[in-house]
């Protein structure tokens, strides 16, 4: 049983099997493809951006789980900074300001602190992306929206 990981293999599957199959079935403009993901899907979307920025023209990471694996995504951001894309890539990054761990064991002050820390992490990571040449980064913190509400925001 896999508890986590596998992003590189999944991206390879998308590139070598899923994209070609979709292109067999319907007309596809490879220069206009986008990737969207929410939560762990948002984490995967950022991984794909950092690992293979040319795979998609636009990336939409929503409520990405940036703290997964103690911030492992920062390693990939550093690699992207060192080897930036060769063509322009659009990134639309967003999260809700009220996201954070919800537990009856946490007081309102603790929940607010965790939410603020997660929002700061979002801003920090998005700012790091802004420093990568040819990335056009837009970021938005949706006031008052929770993690679940961001799925359809």
């Amino acid at each position: 049983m896999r508890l986590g990981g596998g992003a590189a293999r999944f991206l390879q599957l998308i590139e070598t099997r899923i994209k070609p199959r979709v292109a067999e079935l319907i007309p596809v403009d490879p220069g206009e493809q986008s990737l969207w993901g929410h939560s762990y899907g948002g984490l995967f979307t950022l991984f794909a951006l950092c690992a293979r920025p040319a795979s998609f023209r636009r990336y939409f990471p929503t409520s990405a789980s940036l703290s997964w694996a103690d911030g492992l995504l920062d390693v990939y951001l550093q690699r992207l900074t060192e080897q930036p894309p060769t063509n322009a890539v659009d990134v639309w990054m967003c999260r809700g300001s009220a996201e954070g761990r919800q537990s009856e064991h946490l007081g309102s002050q603790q929940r607010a602190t965790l939410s603020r820390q997660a929002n700061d992490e979002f801003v920090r990571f998005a700012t790091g992306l802004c420093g990568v040449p040819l990335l056009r980064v837009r970021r938005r913190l949706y006031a008052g929206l929770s993690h679940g509400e961001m799925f359809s925001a």
Side-chain angles (χ1 to χ4, degrees):
M1 171 186 252
R2 176 177 300 282
L3 298 177
R9 282 192 290 170
F10 184 53
L11 183 55
Q12 184 69 18
L13 174 73
I14 290 171
E15 288 293 317
T16 61
R17 302 212 33 215
I18 295 172
K19 281 180 157 185
R21 180 65 178 138
V22 170
E24 288 173 7
L25 299 173
I26 59 172
V28 174
D29 181 347
E32 292 299 321
Q33 294 180 347
S34 300
L35 182 64
W36 176 90
H38 174 264
S39 194
Y40 284 134
L43 176 67
F44 173 76
T45 300
L46 287 172
F47 166 80
L49 167 66
C50 292
R52 292 190 195 167
S55 291
F56 296 91
R57 173 72 175 77
R58 290 176 207 85
Y59 292 83
F60 297 90
T62 302
S63 300
S65 301
L66 294 172
S67 62
W68 185 80
D70 294 323
L72 177 63
L73 197 56
D74 286 331
V75 173
Y76 292 98
L77 176 57
Q78 182 61 39
R79 288 182 192 165
L80 180 63
T81 301
E82 293 166 0
Q83 298 177 4
T86 55
N87 294 311
V89 176
D90 292 317
V91 181
W92 297 73
M93 195 172 169
C94 61
R95 75 174 268 115
S97 68
E99 293 192 44
R101 292 192 177 98
Q102 300 299 320
S103 170
E104 65 272 0
H105 304 295
L106 297 175
S108 61
Q109 190 74 358
Q110 290 172 307
R111 284 194 301 272
T113 298
L114 289 173
S115 184
R116 188 173 47 257
Q117 288 171 344
N119 292 339
D120 291 347
E121 177 66 8
F122 166 83
V123 170
R124 184 196 64 77
F125 195 87
T127 300
L129 286 175
C130 289
V132 177
L134 295 177
L135 286 190
R136 296 185 296 220
V137 181
R138 293 166 188 89
R139 62 181 176 218
R140 183 169 178 188
L141 197 58
Y142 285 84
L145 293 187
S146 68
H147 190 70
E149 292 169 323
M150 283 304 299
F151 187 81
S152 59

